[in-house]
Amino acid sequence: MRIDKILIANRGEIACRLIRTARRLGIATVAVYSSADAHARHVDLADEAYCIGPAEAKKSYLNSERILQVARDSGASAIHPGYGFLAENARFAAECAAAGLIFVGPPVQAIEAMGSKSAAKQIMHAAGIPLVPGYHELDQSLQRLQLAAESIGYPLLIKASAGGGGKGMRVVHAAAEFDAALQGAKRESAAAFGDDRVLLEKYIQRPRHVEIQVFADTHNNIVHLFERDCSIQRRHQKVIEEAPAPGLGAETREKMGATAIAAARAIGYVGAGTVEFLLDRDGSFYFMEMNTRLQVEHPVTEMITGQDLVEWQLRVAAGEPLPCQQEELVITGHAIEARLYAEDPLKNFLPSIGPLRHLRLPQESPHVRVDSGVRQGDEVSIHYDPMLAKLIVWDHDRNLAIKRMQQALADFQVSGVTTNIGFLSQVITHRAFAAAELDTSFIEHHGADLFPEPGAASDRILALASLDLLLRRNAEAAATAAISTDPYSPWHRTDGWRLNSDNHHVLNFIDGLHRIAVTVHYRDNHYVLELPGGRLSASGTLDAAGDLSADLDGVRCRSTIVRREEQITVISGGHSHVLLLDDPGLQAGELDGGEGRLTAPMPGKIVAVLVNVGDQVKRGTALVVMEAMKMEHTIMAPLDGIVANLPFRVGDIVDEGVELLGFEPVEETV
Ligand code: MV4
């Protein structure tokens, strides 16, 4: 049955991704959104969009009744659930079918069969799929479980039958611990799932998580599209995924693929599915679970096979045969995916909620793909998973792909929320990752290397922030001069030029709890910065996008500095560091010497006094005009402020460096 219009029952990056393929295939798209997503990217990308409820997922993206209503109202003939939300909800799939809609996913009974992890294992066991040696039977008597434990041997795992994703798992290292561990596991499982049944398994120590992408159509064809290694996880959340699995031999790949196809066939599967295995270090692999949805990490499979898995889904859902046969599928190169999150690795990965004040994505190419659901200015809210985007890279081999990822992470710029970009960079550049020493405890094992202390701002960070400030001030001054009545006024100079003196500025930053003063000395075509670690010569240019190309003591580097009021975020090399500027006078205009005084840059005569003591003036107001070197120079308010005193009258002669008027900045009124 042809699909002319499809409803995307999801949000964020996956909704955008699904729309992209549907549009390419000429299928009209219907987006649904919660009130919190009214301005979200997926709403703009779709041909039409319907609000389905408030931010709370239960009342919007999980509101199947409302979603089906939109399908009717919009005339959609199919629904794609994406992943998460209703993607593996058998009842929703049944409701779609009952409403005469194509549910882009597996048959209802396949979703049901794989929904219970223990039931899934029993089905797979019956189909001859290798399981971890263990006990999955209904007899839960202590005697029977003790007997099973003895035959499995130690260490063994006690798992909650109703559990999944690692919940309710206990490792037992010796027989003496078994009874107590069993009681504890049953108590936990009853509390968490209302079901205290357990299963026992041989404990596979430091396994890898390797999963096979399978695809089945409605004409009994099933293929696999090779494997993905997803061992780099934190608390059962995938962090880095890659394809193919490093070091997986052709024979194991062949066997694992055939096993995954057999698993799919055993449950009459249709559509995109993923069979997850535990891979032991001796090359044995064991069925863990089967996911009946398109996985978050599907892009790495697309990058090494050149296939669009969403196109496959839509074709299969429309009754077409698989686009490829097994022999036509080959692995080309290596792909890696990193999941970029608004979360703070140094606060136990607490979600970082707030506005995306600055967002710049890496340039896409045949080597770099960015699946993102957000745009600059969006708000990362508490309502949904704080994943910002998936960064996927491809190259001819794994080492080259790692380098691509390193660079892409460095080019991914975010300010306004804390992200895990620095953490991801640490993982991807870790020696053990490069050596493909992968297993599910990688992050736990190498944690000390992956969470660098939030060090004080380096001299480099301080130099970049200082240089950015100075260059922006030059640009502002030049712009002011360009519109000034006396553009050549020395007041517009920002090169620190002063008669017979090495003028300098002090920039005060706040870094965490520390105040850091950077003294800036002006030289002909560069600055000399006095930093905590010593002197540094600095020069640079700002491009139209606001990127800084700096030369620090002859070392060139690019960075982006994002300013928001006092806050300065220095983004460089995939890491970002936030400083606060503690020099309001430098926000705009010129308070000479850093002591907050308006002094005469050279000897001259006062020719006009335009304000009175006590006047409250806005930034840029003309205050006093002096004549020097046969030119008039207008002194303007560098900030909103109050004229505190006027020591001179028209006709007075003033020396260089004399304070021309007392000026007290006040909080700028917006
Ligand atoms: C295991 C195991 C070791 N031995 N089973 C974690 C959640 C669920 N996917 C199954 N899990 C495991 N089952 C045996 N017999 C180790 C894990 C495991 C794990 C598996 C895959 C990916 C990440 C993991 C993290 C911790 C533990």
Side-chain angles (χ1 to χ4, degrees):
M1 184 176 126
R2 176 162 167 67
I3 299 175
D4 294 317
K5 183 184 279 191
I6 188 165
L7 185 155
I8 309 294
N10 215 300
R11 64 179 299 282
E13 69 86 17
I14 189 59
C16 299
R17 187 260 173 281
L18 296 174
I19 292 168
R20 186 168 69 232
T21 292
R23 179 180 298 282
R24 180 170 61 80
L25 298 177
I27 297 173
T29 53
V30 177
V32 291
Y33 63 91
S34 71
S35 49
D37 280 340
H39 305 292
R41 180 166 178 251
H42 77 281
V43 173
D44 284 352
L45 289 178
D47 296 310
E48 48 190 291
Y50 295 74
C51 184
I52 50 173
E56 191 187 347
K58 196 163 69 206
K59 297 178 179 169
S60 48
Y61 295 105
L62 291 172
N63 183 344
S64 51
E65 189 182 330
R66 182 76 188 94
I67 290 167
L68 290 169
Q69 181 60 47
V70 169
R72 282 191 290 276
D73 295 350
S74 63
S77 49
I79 290 188
H80 196 305
Y83 52 68
F85 295 128
L86 295 169
E88 296 187 285
N89 183 312
R91 186 168 54 76
F92 178 65
E95 287 168 352
C96 290
L101 293 161
I102 296 172
F103 176 77
V104 181
V108 173
Q109 96 279 353
I111 299 174
E112 284 168 340
M114 295 298 104
S116 152
K117 306 302 172 196
S118 54
K121 286 190 172 170
Q122 281 169 12
I123 294 168
M124 293 305 162
H125 185 58
I129 306 297
L131 298 186
V132 180
Y135 175 81
H136 307 85
E137 308 307 323
L138 292 178
D139 182 346
Q140 296 281 306
S141 65
L142 179 60
Q143 293 76 7
R144 183 67 190 86
L145 290 170
Q146 284 170 336
L147 201 62
E150 270 163 46
S151 65
I152 293 167
Y154 292 91
L156 63 77
L157 256 183
I158 304 176
K159 290 184 177 179
S161 296
K167 293 192 194 70
M169 278 186 0
R170 280 178 181 237
V171 183
V172 185
H173 292 280
E177 301 164 18
F178 181 74
D179 288 4
L182 176 63
Q183 294 319 313
K186 291 175 90 65
R187 274 196 309 275
E188 267 175 34
S189 180
F193 312 110
D195 173 343
D196 72 349
R197 284 175 302 162
V198 297
L199 54 91
L200 308 180
E201 287 183 350
K202 172 189 166 203
Y203 181 48
I204 312 295
Q205 303 193 53
R206 300 184 67 172
R208 287 168 67 178
H209 169 127
V210 177
E211 59 188 35
I212 296 279
Q213 179 70 60
V214 293
F215 229 108
D217 64 17
T218 51
H219 309 279
N220 265 331
N221 302 309
I222 306 185
V223 297
H224 72 83
L225 291 102
F226 312 112
E227 80 280 0
R228 296 184 285 258
D229 189 308
C230 306
S231 301
I232 310 292
Q233 300 195 15
R234 199 189 75 81
R235 292 195 185 161
H236 308 291
Q237 279 288 325
K238 294 164 185 165
V239 173
I240 300 277
E241 306 102 338
E242 61 182 296
L248 193 75
E251 190 187 335
T252 306
R253 173 173 294 116
E254 183 73 35
K255 275 174 60 181
M256 206 181 254
T259 304
I261 288 173
R265 203 175 292 286
I267 58 171
Y269 203 73
V270 175
T274 296
V275 184
E276 292 185 354
F277 296 98
L278 281 179
L279 175 65
D280 203 345
R281 284 172 286 186
D282 65 2
S284 315
F285 58 85
Y286 309 100
F287 173 85
M288 211 170 11
E289 59 190 68
M290 180 170 185
N291 300 315
T292 57
R293 65 180 184 270
L294 184 67
Q295 304 267 111
V296 171
E297 60 270 21
H298 75 273
V300 294
T301 301
E302 295 185 317
M303 299 288 264
I304 65 164
T305 60
Q307 300 300 329
D308 177 333
L309 297 187
V310 171
E311 176 174 356
W312 282 44
Q313 283 189 299
L314 297 174
R315 292 189 181 285
V316 164
E320 293 179 30
L322 290 177
C324 284
Q325 294 178 2
Q326 192 66 58
E327 305 70 46
E328 299 171 85
L329 292 163
V330 290
I331 295 174
T332 305
H334 198 96
I336 302 173
E337 176 182 88
R339 300 188 187 196
L340 279 89
Y341 271 78
E343 59 186 13
D344 189 342
L346 297 175
K347 291 179 182 165
N348 202 20
F349 291 88
L350 187 71
S352 177
I353 308 307
L356 289 172
R357 292 204 184 102
H358 175 83
L359 178 73
R360 194 180 304 158
L361 306 180
Q363 183 65 43
E364 292 200 272
S365 73
H367 292 284
V368 178
R369 168 176 162 178
V370 184
D371 282 12
S372 169
V374 294
R375 295 176 291 195
Q376 182 162 304
D378 281 2
E379 188 83 17
V380 177
S381 84
I382 198 67
H383 301 294
Y384 311 114
D385 183 82
M387 181 162 76
L388 301 175
K390 297 170 340 195
L391 189 49
I392 307 105
V393 299
W394 176 90
D395 214 314
H396 295 289
D397 63 41
R398 186 171 191 263
N399 291 337
L400 292 173
I402 289 174
K403 285 186 173 40
R404 291 278 177 192
M405 179 59 82
Q406 215 175 321
Q407 185 55 57
L409 285 169
D411 292 343
F412 203 113
Q413 298 184 1
V414 181
S415 165
V417 294
T418 305
T419 72
N420 65 342
I421 294 174
F423 171 71
L424 294 170
S425 297
Q426 295 291 109
V427 171
I428 209 82
T429 55
H430 195 281
R431 177 207 56 76
F433 186 81
E437 294 166 9
L438 306 177
D439 66 61
T440 56
S441 54
F442 181 97
I443 289 176
E444 184 189 332
H445 193 73
H446 298 291
D449 305 333
L450 305 177
F451 298 92
E453 275 309 302
S458 61
D459 278 3
R460 181 171 175 276
I461 292 291
L462 290 164
L464 291 172
S466 303
L467 191 55
D468 182 78
L469 263 172
L470 294 161
L471 293 173
R472 283 177 196 274
R473 199 182 58 180
N474 290 353
E476 283 164 12
T480 307
I483 59 172
S484 158
T485 52
D486 47 357
Y488 301 104
S489 156
W491 284 101
H492 297 311
R493 297 180 72 126
T494 58
D495 56 7
W497 181 82
R498 290 291 178 273
L499 282 175
N500 315 318
S501 76
D502 160 36
N503 188 48
H504 62 273
H505 266 304
V506 176
L507 302 179
N508 289 302
F509 296 101
I510 294 173
D511 177 31
L513 300 177
H514 307 286
R515 180 186 298 274
I516 301 168
V518 174
T519 301
V520 180
H521 297 275
Y522 295 82
R523 296 292 180 269
D524 285 351
N525 58 359
H526 67 282
Y527 301 101
V528 172
L529 306 178
E530 283 184 44
L531 299 154
R535 284 192 165 215
L536 195 63
S537 80
S539 63
T541 54
L542 281 171
D543 69 16
D547 281 349
L548 174 62
S549 295
D551 179 313
L552 304 177
D553 266 0
V555 177
R556 298 190 67 77
C557 65
R558 284 181 62 78
S559 63
T560 296
I561 286 90
V562 181
R563 277 293 301 278
R564 174 156 173 91
E565 288 147 11
E566 305 306 299
Q567 192 183 76
I568 301 173
T569 304
V570 180
I571 303 169
S572 176
H575 296 271
S576 67
H577 197 104
V578 179
L579 294 166
L580 288 180
L581 179 63
D582 185 30
D583 251 6
L586 279 176
Q587 263 189 334
E590 182 96 353
L591 286 182
D592 189 14
E595 294 81 46
R597 302 185 309 137
L598 284 174
T599 58
M602 65 191 74
K605 181 169 79 171
I606 303 298
V607 294
V609 177
L610 309 171
V611 288
N612 298 301
V613 173
D615 282 3
Q616 175 140 354
V617 297
K618 299 287 284 177
R619 175 168 52 167
T621 306
L623 305 171
V624 171
V625 180
M626 65 178 283
E627 187 184 75
M629 299 189 324
K630 298 191 177 13
M631 288 182 288
E632 281 199 354
H633 312 288
T634 303
I635 292 86
M636 292 185 281
L639 285 168
D640 293 4
I642 295 174
V643 179
N645 79 331
L646 287 164
F648 298 102
R649 301 186 186 295
V650 172
D652 287 352
I653 301 299
V654 297
D655 285 338
E656 189 260 347
V658 162
E659 184 172 38
L660 294 171
L661 72 153
F663 182 79
E664 284 164 15
V666 295
E667 277 298 300
E668 292 224 337
T669 50
V670 178

